[in-house]
Amino acid sequence: MVLKERFILVFLVFFLTGTLGYGQECYRDTVKLSLSEAEHLFLRNNLSLLAEKYHIESSKALAMQERLFNNPSISITQSVYNPNDHRWLELGQGGEMTVQIQQLFLLAGKRNKRIKMADLDAEKESENYFDLLRTLKYSLCSGFYNLFYLNQSLKVYQQEIASFESLIRVFEVQQKKGFVSMNEVVRLKSALFALENEQLGYKGQLLSALSDFNVLIRTSNIYYEPIADETQLDKKVPRVALPALIDTALVNRYDLSMAQLDVKKSQLNVSYQKSLAIPDVTLSSGWDKIGGYVKNYNFIGMQIDLPFLNRNQGNIRSAQMNLESDKINMLSSAEKVKGEVIQAYSIWSENEKLYWNFDSNYMKQLDELINEIVLNFQKKNISLVDFLNYYDAYKQNRIQYNTLKFNRINAIENLNFSVGKKVIDLN
């Protein structure tokens, strides 16, 4: 009985003091960070956001370009050979020279319409940046909490594996002395092997999540251990009405805003194509040295196309059809936004209901129960098989509880993402 008490004591010590060591040795550094710190690194370093900022500046430069007026043009001609006096490039009284200056003037508000369309392109690039930011921030938050709860689950495996390794060593000593059977040792090793295989699957998930997380904040080969205040995460959130969330999404979703900008630009393009049917005017002024009806002939002129054959009918029709297409796409985008909000709201509601229906004292009771199981195993009131079954149930409940908490947090982040605004803030 004394020997039995010793290995039970060793088992409990290892179970309560098991340490993590899954995968850190492959990483250059191990860094603990909060969500706010992760967001700071993300906003400063993410390459996709940096690239999109250049797109914004590029579109602003194009809008600036549309504000510039057309340059005037100047043409100069000089006679090459005078057959009367057989002179080349004569610049004197016998040589001919003309000078003409021309300026194109756009009519029917073409320039203003092009400026407005370029401004809309710049605005759309800005909206695209914020939509990208919305998407990537959701990935960042979801990835952060995924890492946090994967670490929590791996702690459960690490503790159990350390405990079983210690128990196996004790059992092997006792088996050599004839106190326990070989069957019990083999059964423990089999359980350990199953635990290590399960742990390996979770390690793979963790390493994949770490890789994605490093890419998001533009770091390399760093093992991040997220820090989160679970008391804050576990607080109850106020109920929000679905119609209000849909209305908020229709105002705040950048992808819908881009669809609306497409309609505005198409409307402007229809107006612009119609304005192209009105010909522009080119005014000119010039001087002719000796080629006119008098010497030093000065003249002014005007040039305009006659819109008899081409009145830009095809482009106008095409612009009108594109406008109708963009209107339909805008309606489709609005319906898509509504559907995403409804789906996210439903998922969040179900997760909230499941989470708060769960007895918060259950996990404490489970911890107390596992200690009772150890004592009963010590007193030989339960068999080794029952003992292992209880521990497997304990592990599964711990893992499922972490999954439940992550699913709830992720559902909240997904709801914020679908609305386009942080309507529920747990921080």
Side-chain angles (χ1 to χ4, degrees):
M1 181 63 68
V2 174
L3 292 173
K4 199 76 168 181
E5 290 174 351
R6 286 179 180 174
F7 76 72
I8 291 296
L9 178 61
V10 172
F11 177 69
L12 282 172
V13 169
F14 271 82
F15 182 80
L16 295 174
T17 60
T19 57
L20 291 174
Y22 37 86
Q24 290 97 323
E25 66 276 2
C26 301
Y27 287 82
R28 174 167 49 88
D29 293 306
T30 298
V31 176
K32 294 184 178 181
L33 84 168
S34 64
L35 181 57
S36 60
E37 292 170 335
E39 288 179 343
H40 175 74
L41 290 171
F42 162 74
L43 292 173
R44 188 181 67 186
N45 297 334
N46 186 267
L47 291 176
S48 297
L49 290 179
L50 293 175
E52 190 57 37
K53 286 180 179 179
Y54 285 110
H55 289 159
I56 294 174
E57 294 304 316
S58 174
S59 61
K60 286 181 178 179
L62 292 176
M64 177 190 69
Q65 181 64 32
E66 290 295 343
R67 285 174 166 78
L68 303 178
F69 288 94
N70 293 318
N71 290 322
S73 64
I74 183 170
S75 64
I76 301 175
T77 62
Q78 168 67 42
S79 61
V80 178
Y81 177 69
N82 189 339
N84 295 326
D85 54 14
H86 306 290
R87 291 184 179 182
W88 293 85
L89 297 175
E90 185 177 1
L91 300 178
Q93 294 296 323
E96 163 68 348
M97 175 183 288
T98 62
V99 178
Q100 184 176 5
I101 297 177
Q102 291 182 322
Q103 176 67 55
L104 174 67
F105 291 91
L106 301 177
L107 302 182
K110 295 185 184 73
R111 177 174 173 272
N112 287 336
K113 291 179 176 67
R114 286 164 55 176
I115 290 172
K116 289 178 181 179
M117 286 192 290
D119 286 339
L120 287 176
D121 285 335
E123 187 177 351
K124 185 177 177 180
E125 281 296 338
S126 179
E127 297 291 293
N128 188 55
Y129 169 81
F130 286 109
D131 190 56
L132 176 64
L133 177 62
R134 176 182 73 96
T135 303
L136 292 179
K137 281 193 74 172
Y138 167 70
S139 298
L140 179 77
C141 293
S142 179
F144 178 89
Y145 289 118
N146 187 32
L147 282 176
F148 178 77
Y149 286 111
L150 279 173
N151 271 287
Q152 297 297 99
S153 295
L154 279 169
K155 287 178 182 179
V156 176
Y157 279 103
Q158 188 68 20
Q159 289 170 344
E160 286 208 358
I161 287 173
S163 302
F164 272 85
E165 286 174 343
S166 174
L167 188 60
I168 287 170
R169 287 194 294 269
V170 174
F171 262 66
E172 284 177 335
V173 172
Q174 300 305 310
Q175 188 266 327
K176 290 178 182 179
K177 296 180 179 180
F179 292 107
V180 297
S181 67
M182 175 64 73
N183 179 57
E184 291 178 304
V185 176
V186 172
R187 182 67 183 87
L188 283 173
K189 288 183 177 180
S190 176
L192 174 62
F193 181 71
L195 279 174
E196 289 173 335
N197 271 284
E198 289 181 25
Q199 183 196 42
L200 186 61
Y202 276 89
K203 283 182 180 179
Q205 293 180 43
L206 178 70
L207 297 178
S208 176
L210 274 172
S211 176
D212 294 339
F213 196 77
N214 271 276
V215 170
L216 279 171
I217 59 178
R218 197 186 166 193
T219 55
S220 177
N221 200 28
I222 295 180
Y223 190 98
Y224 287 105
E225 292 184 4
I227 302 172
D229 184 355
E230 289 202 81
T231 303
Q232 186 73 7
L233 295 178
D234 288 342
K235 71 179 183 180
K236 273 199 171 184
V237 296
R239 298 296 297 180
V240 287
L242 178 58
L245 290 177
I246 293 176
D247 291 340
T248 302
L250 293 176
V251 173
N252 289 278
R253 281 284 292 265
Y254 296 106
D255 49 346
L256 179 57
S257 178
M258 286 189 287
Q260 293 167 344
L261 288 174
D262 284 338
V263 171
K264 290 181 180 179
K265 185 181 177 182
S266 290
Q267 290 171 335
L268 274 174
N269 189 42
V270 170
S271 177
Y272 175 68
Q273 294 301 327
K274 288 180 178 179
S275 71
L276 289 178
I278 299 174
D280 300 319
V281 172
T282 300
L283 299 180
S284 60
S285 176
W287 167 76
D288 192 323
K289 185 177 179 183
I290 60 174
Y293 71 97
V294 294
K295 288 186 177 181
N296 295 317
Y297 168 59
N298 297 287
F299 61 90
I300 59 173
M302 181 183 75
Q303 178 181 327
I304 186 171
D305 292 335
L306 298 178
F308 295 152
L309 303 176
N310 182 357
R311 297 189 300 277
N312 207 36
Q313 300 97 316
N315 288 332
I316 292 172
R317 178 65 175 169
S318 175
Q320 289 172 336
M321 294 301 99
N322 287 334
L323 172 59
E324 295 304 315
S325 175
D326 287 337
K327 286 180 178 178
I328 293 174
N329 288 335
M330 183 184 69
L331 293 175
S332 176
S333 296
E335 292 302 317
K336 179 183 176 184
V337 167
K338 292 177 184 177
E340 289 178 358
V341 173
I342 292 171
Q343 181 184 24
Y345 182 86
S346 300
I347 294 173
W348 169 69
S349 297
E350 292 299 321
N351 276 276
E352 282 290 310
K353 185 187 301 181
L354 179 61
Y355 184 77
W356 291 111
N357 285 341
F358 187 83
D359 186 358
S360 59
N361 294 319
Y362 172 72
M363 298 313 297
K364 294 179 181 178
Q365 295 170 350
L366 192 63
D367 290 336
E368 294 172 359
L369 176 62
I370 204 65
N371 292 330
E372 291 295 325
I373 295 299
V374 172
L375 293 176
N376 277 282
F377 180 58
Q378 174 187 356
K379 297 175 181 178
K380 296 185 178 181
N381 292 332
I382 60 173
S383 66
L384 175 61
V385 173
D386 290 334
F387 175 72
L388 294 176
N389 288 338
Y390 279 121
Y391 257 96
D392 184 64
Y394 173 80
K395 175 204 65 181
Q396 292 296 335
N397 275 267
R398 274 290 179 188
I399 299 299
Q400 288 172 5
Y401 186 55
N402 287 331
T403 302
L404 173 64
K405 290 195 285 187
F406 169 69
N407 287 341
R408 172 179 174 261
I409 299 299
N410 196 50
I412 291 173
E413 294 298 334
N414 186 49
L415 182 62
N416 291 333
F417 170 72
S418 66
V419 173
K421 181 182 179 181
K422 186 169 280 192
V423 291
I424 299 176
D425 190 359
L426 293 176
N427 298 308

